[in-house]
Every structure is written in C-alpha cells, then in structure tokens.
Amino acid sequence: MPEHVSGLDGTYDMKIVCQNRKAAHEYFFDELIEAGMVLLGPEVKSLREGRASLVDSYGKIKDSEIYLYNMHITPYPYAHHMDLDPLRPRKLLLKRREIKRLIGKTEEKGYTLVPTKVYFSKGRAKVELALARGKRKYDKRQVLKEKELQREIEQAKKREGY
C-alpha cells in the first residue's frame, strides 16, 4: 500500500507508490533528480492503488528526450476500453537544460539513470531518478562490512546503557 510522508507544518504531502531498494545496493548515487511522467488515465489510477514495480527499470535518452523503460504498472482492472502494455516506455518530463546536462553525464563511462522511487507530489506522479555508477563486488562487500560493524557498535552501546 502507498506510504504517506508530510512535512511538520503540513506544507507538502508526498504519497510514495513504490521504491527500488535494490538500486542502493547495486549503485553509487551521485545525484538525485525529480521528473514528471507522461501517463494515461488508467495508469494513474493503478499508481494511486500502489500497483507498480521498479525492478529492473532504467532511464535512457532517446532523441534528446528521457524515457523510463521496464517500469511495470499493473493494468487498472476497470479500464476495459484501453489495452495498455504494462512495460511500455514512459516519457519523463524535465527541463531542456537538465536533459542536456544528463546527456553529457550519461555519455561518461559508467554512468546510468536509475529510478529510485515513484510518488505523488501535489497530486502529480513523479519519479526520482539517480545519476548512478555501478558498484563492483568488493564495493558491495565493503558496504556490508561497514553496516555490520555499525550494528555491532549500536548493540554494544545499548548493552552498556548509553
């Protein structure tokens, strides 16, 4: 089910639809970018119900536009008049200046666009893209060792009453 996040003063309301937790394990994030999505009505209704998955999805630049590939949005059960492909490429909405900058960055060796979460902000569907570099196996092992060490430190503090 979608998760709600709001500010202390109630100035914004963000409804998280889905997250790509595996991406943080697989990539180093250099930058996070918020982009709008071009969706059809039944897709928006499915997103509001939390019926989406970012597993194996990625962003790609095609003809000076950015598209999101392999994002699965389950078809809305009551939209019989539209037969939509759940994995169709979806155009992302960014300013031209941001797109040009991302084109330059993704042409560098090792950079890719990875979606980290899909959410609603002020009633609009948004996707958070990360400009990311892939982790090597030893990087992943190092991160796991650091997490385990931190967990042990926290447990020791609790035992000693800190």
Side-chain angles (χ1 to χ4, degrees):
M1 207 64 212
E3 174 186 338
H4 284 280
V5 180
S6 62
L8 295 175
D9 56 354
T11 54
Y12 64 90
D13 188 32
M14 191 167 83
K15 178 181 168 186
I16 297 173
V17 176
C18 63
Q19 292 181 315
N20 189 354
R21 290 187 174 95
K22 188 178 175 186
H25 181 69
E26 299 287 330
Y27 298 97
F28 290 115
F29 297 155
D30 287 353
E31 187 180 339
L32 294 174
I33 302 131
E34 180 183 73
M37 289 189 288
V38 176
L39 298 170
L40 299 172
E43 290 176 324
V44 175
K45 289 186 177 211
S46 284
L47 280 181
R48 288 196 189 281
E49 291 182 353
R51 299 170 177 240
S53 173
L54 287 174
V55 177
D56 296 332
S57 60
Y58 60 95
K60 191 173 180 183
I61 298 168
K62 181 180 172 187
D63 300 329
S64 298
E65 293 179 337
I66 298 179
Y67 289 90
L68 188 61
Y69 290 90
N70 286 350
M71 178 185 164
H72 188 277
I73 299 178
T74 305
Y76 189 64
Y78 304 108
H80 303 294
H81 62 284
M82 290 183 129
D83 188 30
L84 299 172
D85 179 19
L87 292 173
R88 74 179 184 88
R90 291 167 179 89
K91 184 177 172 182
L92 299 180
L93 304 171
L94 288 165
K95 293 188 176 184
R96 188 172 291 131
R97 184 176 65 245
E98 287 179 319
I99 293 173
K100 285 181 181 178
R101 189 176 56 78
L102 289 174
I103 289 171
K105 288 280 191 179
T106 54
E107 286 175 353
E108 287 181 33
K109 188 175 184 230
Y111 279 102
T112 186
L113 293 172
V114 179
T116 57
K117 66 179 156 184
V118 175
Y119 56 94
F120 282 93
S121 177
K122 299 177 186 171
R124 309 249 183 217
K126 305 282 185 180
V127 63
E128 184 179 78
L129 283 175
L131 189 61
R133 291 177 289 123
K135 285 185 182 177
R136 304 245 181 343
K137 200 169 194 174
Y138 59 84
D139 291 329
K140 293 177 191 176
R141 278 192 232 122
Q142 184 66 32
V143 169
L144 288 174
K145 282 181 189 176
E146 289 171 5
K147 279 185 181 178
E148 191 172 319
L149 183 65
Q150 192 64 34
R151 192 177 305 123
E152 288 174 7
I153 291 170
E154 292 296 323
Q155 287 175 352
K157 282 182 180 179
K158 283 183 182 178
R159 271 185 260 131
E160 295 178 15
Y162 281 103

